[in-house]
């Protein structure tokens, strides 16, 4: 059995399509934990309309606490049921009828593995990959493998990968419990959004947990999880959280040795923005660095 954890924020149309795809699944042995981040649209009404078709546990929050804290709320409740695996799923994802059946077979054939990446394909261009997992370079910078590549390139990617994108990731409860922080944080709450799954992937990897790509377990991703959020919001959190996960997941000596590379890379982003006249984007990146340094 699986436990889905889905975070929603003002995404009534997205969550409707996502839940419709779960209703159509051939495999039915799962629960759905939906954490709503204080939506102001009709998301709650839409979610409640599916309770006769799916076993849904709705956790309604009073405001938008972010992707990481909301997922933690859902995971902590899901930990109490009798499933062995938790699937984190973005609300802008559509699964296929056989997605869970294929996943179940793959898990049974790979019992030594605790983390699985569902094959993420672009919803609008279904011959284009979205993510086949994560890879880290020698400086610990992450690459989302397969992003915007043609689906014919899938064969070049190995089944064994270094981390899973939480937009459609499967984690054993055993693994999550081992890397849990302060008894209730699987993703770090202070990340709010972006790179929280990268940080989790590194903690799992560093604790010896294997991750594999399930190539025939397909989901389609729209990339619309944060409606009405500006690019400066993304620039800020991508910058701040980049430095956070880099510092938190290596020794102080290794971080200090790599630090010049990180700042050089970030300075390059700022210069590219300035050349394009994107002053606000440059300011958001600088603010992200400053807040990282003071621990915000």
């Amino acid at each position: 059995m699986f436990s889905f954890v889905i975070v929603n924020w003002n995404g009534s149309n997205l969550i409707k399509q996502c839940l419709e795809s779960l209703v159509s699944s051939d495999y039915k042995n799962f629960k759905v934990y939906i954490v709503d981040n204080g939506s102001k649209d009709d998301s709650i009404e839409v979610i409640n309309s599916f309770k006769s078709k799916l076993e849904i546990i709705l956790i309604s929050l009073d405001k938008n606490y972010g992707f990481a804290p909301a997922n933690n709320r859902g995971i902590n409740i899901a930990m109490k049921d009798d499933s062995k695996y938790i699937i984190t799923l973005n609300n802008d994802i559509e699964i296929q009828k056989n997605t869970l059946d294929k996943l179940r077979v793959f898990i049974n054939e790979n019992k030594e593995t605790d983390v699985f990446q569902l094959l993420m394909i672009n919803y609008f261009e279904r011959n284009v990959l979205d993510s086949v997992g994560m890879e880290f370079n020698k400086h610990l910078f992450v690459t989302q493998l397969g992003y915007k590549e043609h689906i014919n390139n899938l064969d070049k990617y190995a089944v064994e990968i270094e981390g899973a994108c939480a937009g459609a990731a499967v984690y054993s409860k055993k693994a999550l419990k081992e890397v849990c922080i302060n008894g209730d944080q699987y993703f770090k709450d202070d990340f709010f959004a972006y790179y929280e799954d990268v940080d989790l992937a590194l903690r799992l990897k560093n604790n010896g947990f294997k991750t594999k790509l399930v190539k025939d377990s397909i989901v389609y991703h729209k990339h619309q999880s944060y409606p009405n959020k500006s690019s400066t919001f993304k620039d800020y959190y991508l910058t701040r959280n980049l430095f956070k996960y880099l510092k938190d997941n290596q020794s102080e000596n290794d971080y200090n040795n790599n630090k010049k590379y990180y700042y050089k890379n970030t300075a390059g982003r700022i210069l590219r923005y300035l050349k394009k006249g994107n002053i606000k984007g440059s300011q958001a990146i600088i603010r992200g660095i400053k807040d990282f340094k003071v621990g915000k």
Side-chain angles (χ1 to χ4, degrees):
M1 187 180 119
F2 302 112
S3 297
F4 282 94
V5 175
I6 304 172
V7 173
N8 180 72
W9 178 61
N10 291 333
S12 60
N13 290 334
L14 299 174
I15 194 68
K16 181 176 186 292
Q17 188 169 4
C18 179
L19 294 177
E20 284 174 344
S21 73
L22 291 179
V23 170
S24 297
S25 173
D26 291 334
Y27 182 80
K28 304 290 187 183
N29 191 15
F30 59 84
K31 292 183 180 180
V32 184
Y33 298 83
I34 302 177
V35 186
D36 185 80
N37 261 329
S39 292
K40 302 301 182 184
D41 62 3
D42 61 342
S43 288
I44 300 300
E45 290 80 0
V46 169
I47 294 166
N48 284 332
S49 72
F50 280 87
K51 286 188 172 180
S52 62
K53 304 173 185 177
L54 295 168
E55 187 172 358
I56 293 176
I57 297 88
L58 174 61
I59 304 103
S60 297
L61 306 182
D62 60 332
K63 65 178 183 180
N64 184 6
Y65 287 91
F67 183 85
N71 262 299
N72 287 332
R73 288 287 294 272
I75 292 171
N76 276 306
I77 295 173
M79 279 289 186
K80 298 173 184 176
D81 68 28
D82 58 356
S83 70
K84 291 185 178 180
Y85 296 92
I86 286 177
I87 302 176
T88 55
L89 199 70
N90 282 3
N91 67 344
D92 60 346
I93 276 183
E94 175 186 276
I95 76 164
Q96 301 305 288
K97 288 186 176 183
N98 65 354
T99 298
L100 297 181
D101 275 326
K102 297 283 188 180
L103 172 63
R104 183 171 56 86
V105 170
F106 189 88
I107 288 175
N108 288 334
E109 293 174 348
N110 294 271
K111 294 184 181 296
E112 80 290 352
T113 304
D114 283 271
V115 185
F116 304 89
Q117 174 73 69
L118 303 184
L119 178 62
M120 300 176 72
I121 295 176
N122 188 293
Y123 179 87
F124 302 102
E125 298 178 80
R126 300 199 171 191
N127 60 349
V128 176
L129 298 172
D130 186 70
S131 179
V132 301
M134 298 178 190
E135 180 179 74
F136 299 93
N137 70 8
K138 63 180 182 180
H139 300 291
L140 221 59
F141 268 31
V142 68
T143 297
Q144 287 287 348
L145 298 172
Y147 182 58
K148 291 189 176 180
E149 292 187 37
H150 195 277
I151 197 168
N152 289 346
N153 290 335
L154 179 61
D155 288 344
K156 78 178 185 181
Y157 291 107
V159 170
E160 293 187 6
I161 54 178
E162 293 188 280
C165 169
V170 186
Y171 305 97
S172 75
K173 288 183 175 179
K174 178 186 73 174
L176 288 176
K177 287 176 182 177
E178 188 159 327
V179 300
C180 184
I181 298 169
N182 298 327
D184 62 356
Q185 293 183 47
Y186 309 94
F187 302 102
K188 291 178 181 173
D189 278 346
D190 59 354
F191 272 57
F192 190 85
Y194 300 113
Y195 286 135
E196 66 289 307
D197 56 347
V198 176
D199 175 80
L200 175 57
L202 281 170
R203 282 186 282 126
L204 288 163
K205 180 175 179 288
N206 292 336
N207 278 274
F209 292 106
K210 295 180 180 180
T211 302
K212 289 186 178 180
L213 168 66
V214 192
K215 291 187 177 183
D216 59 357
S217 190
I218 296 171
V219 301
Y220 294 104
H221 186 205
K222 287 186 173 181
H223 268 290
Q224 297 177 15
S225 296
Y226 289 97
N228 303 320
K229 281 298 183 183
S230 67
S231 61
T232 55
F233 168 90
K234 187 172 182 179
D235 287 327
Y236 169 79
Y237 279 105
L238 282 175
T239 303
R240 190 198 71 157
N241 292 351
L242 171 72
F243 281 92
K244 283 175 67 66
Y245 94 70
L246 289 168
K247 187 172 184 180
D248 289 352
N249 289 286
Q250 58 187 313
S251 69
E252 184 175 355
N253 184 61
D254 286 343
Y255 176 76
N256 288 332
N257 287 337
N258 285 320
K259 192 159 54 174
K260 288 183 180 179
Y261 174 82
Y262 302 151
Y263 280 101
K264 181 180 179 180
N265 179 277
T266 305
R269 288 175 56 214
I270 294 171
L271 288 174
R272 287 192 293 273
Y273 272 25
L274 290 174
K275 287 179 180 179
K276 295 178 180 178
N278 188 349
I279 305 299
K280 290 184 178 180
S282 300
Q283 291 172 336
I285 293 172
I286 293 169
R287 186 161 51 89
I289 296 171
K290 287 181 178 178
D291 285 355
F292 158 73
K293 287 183 174 180
V294 298
K296 287 187 178 180

